[in-house]
Amino acid sequence: MNNIFDSHAHYDDERFSPDRDELLKRVFESGVIGIINCGSDLKSSITSLNLAQRYENIYAAAGIHPHEAESAGKNDLLLIADLLDSKKCVAVGEIGLDYHYDFSPRDIQKQIFEEQLKIAKEKDLPVIIHDREAHEDTMELLKKYQPKGVVHCFSGSAEMAKEVVKLGMYIGLGGAVTFKNAKKPVSVAAVVPEDKLLIETDCPYMTPVPHRGERNDSSLIPFTAEVIACVRGITAQEVLDITAKNAKELFGI
Ligand code: NI
């Protein structure tokens, strides 16, 4: 398969340190045409941009993940805003709310999320949203700020997916659709309009079946595409073609 666009990856993760360059070479030889590498704090946003500057087909997102909201300072947001002015930085992300782990207090998560939604508006950039068990507050803020962007690794219901799409936003689906207990993501895969669907790895995490338990990378996306294709009654290559076109459109590539 070809024309694979991975809309959400973390190749800056230390799990890639032993073989990052060889792996990326293999990934680009396996039909991958584009990767968005997402930051989760200032340091990883800088590393993402460095990767994007070294690899023609890697693009960066810069942002502060809800887990890191408490440890981020005002200065970090200013520096992230600077990174966003770089040509290879195409989105604000990943940003959002995580009430599953609650690694940062919720009021601070919300504050940092809102500030980054404002930055995205100012810079006219799409956002990459992380929402884990925080659907209600996430939707409230998305309705308030109406950003362009994607809710990645979408874990809400089919009903919520429709609401997100109504706001003009995209839905990102990854390895979770291949998991045995994947009722919700599969029901979402069935209802997202063709022009609002993105595919992603979230690598090194969320490895699709039958490689679950191993380190994930973009060359495994066809396993995810197969499941989405089956649900939608089209071919996996069609899923890849559609999602590559959508990613290029959203991220202005
Ligand atoms: Ni991620």
Side-chain angles (χ1 to χ4, degrees):
M1 277 180 242
N2 55 53
N3 211 18
I4 298 166
F5 198 113
D6 185 352
S7 62
H8 193 112
H10 299 279
Y11 283 105
D12 54 293
D13 191 281
E14 61 181 19
R15 286 177 69 186
F16 293 115
S17 297
D19 61 344
R20 186 174 291 107
D21 286 321
E22 298 101 280
L23 173 69
L24 283 169
K25 187 167 177 277
R26 270 203 315 270
V27 159
F28 286 119
E29 282 165 1
S30 73
V32 174
I33 56 143
I35 295 169
I36 308 288
N37 203 83
C38 298
S40 42
D41 57 11
L42 178 60
K43 188 167 167 261
S44 64
S45 295
I46 292 170
T47 317
S48 292
L49 184 55
N50 286 342
L51 268 176
Q53 278 159 345
R54 279 179 44 224
Y55 286 90
E56 195 187 343
N57 296 323
I58 296 183
Y59 301 83
I64 295 167
H65 190 285
H67 287 345
E68 317 301 333
E70 192 178 22
S71 53
K74 184 84 187 162
N75 215 25
D76 288 5
L77 284 179
L78 291 174
L79 293 167
I80 288 208
D82 281 345
L83 294 180
L84 292 167
D85 291 332
S86 159
K87 219 179 146 206
K88 282 303 284 284
C89 211
V90 296
V92 181
E94 61 180 291
I95 64 174
L97 301 171
D98 193 311
Y99 296 170
H100 176 75
Y101 288 109
D102 277 321
F103 285 161
S104 292
R106 293 182 182 183
D107 56 329
I108 298 178
Q109 289 190 40
K110 277 196 221 167
Q111 185 204 332
I112 295 289
F113 183 25
E114 275 203 80
E115 285 185 43
Q116 294 181 97
L117 286 167
K118 286 179 200 160
I119 292 171
K121 276 268 144 159
E122 271 166 37
K123 307 263 180 197
D124 194 26
L125 283 171
V127 293
I128 297 172
I129 304 290
H130 173 104
D131 159 30
R132 186 129 187 230
E133 292 173 26
H135 302 326
E136 207 175 305
D137 286 356
T138 300
M139 283 310 298
E140 192 186 309
L141 288 173
L142 293 182
K143 280 178 186 157
K144 181 174 173 190
Y145 288 95
Q146 309 256 336
K148 310 182 276 193
V150 54
V151 180
H152 108 89
C153 192
F154 190 82
S155 60
S157 63
E159 284 315 302
M160 180 181 165
K162 286 181 193 164
E163 258 192 274
V164 168
V165 164
K166 228 188 266 170
L167 291 173
M169 294 184 74
Y170 293 72
I171 302 283
L173 293 176
V177 297
T178 70
F179 299 170
K180 248 198 178 137
N181 56 354
K183 276 204 192 107
K184 241 204 239 173
V186 164
S187 69
V188 169
V191 301
V192 179
E194 185 172 304
D195 63 342
K196 288 290 181 267
L197 184 65
L198 296 184
I199 203 162
E200 62 173 63
T201 55
D202 204 13
C203 66
Y205 313 105
M206 302 301 284
T207 314
V209 172
H211 290 276
R212 225 182 151 177
E214 298 168 27
R215 183 182 72 176
N216 198 5
D217 69 66
S218 313
S219 70
L220 299 178
I221 278 193
F223 293 104
T224 301
E226 289 283 2
V227 173
I228 297 172
C230 185
V231 174
R232 297 178 73 91
I234 56 177
T235 68
Q237 186 59 57
E238 283 172 314
V239 169
L240 296 174
D241 292 341
I242 289 163
T243 51
K245 180 172 175 278
N246 291 345
K248 287 184 197 165
E249 204 158 287
L250 174 62
F251 297 112
I253 289 164

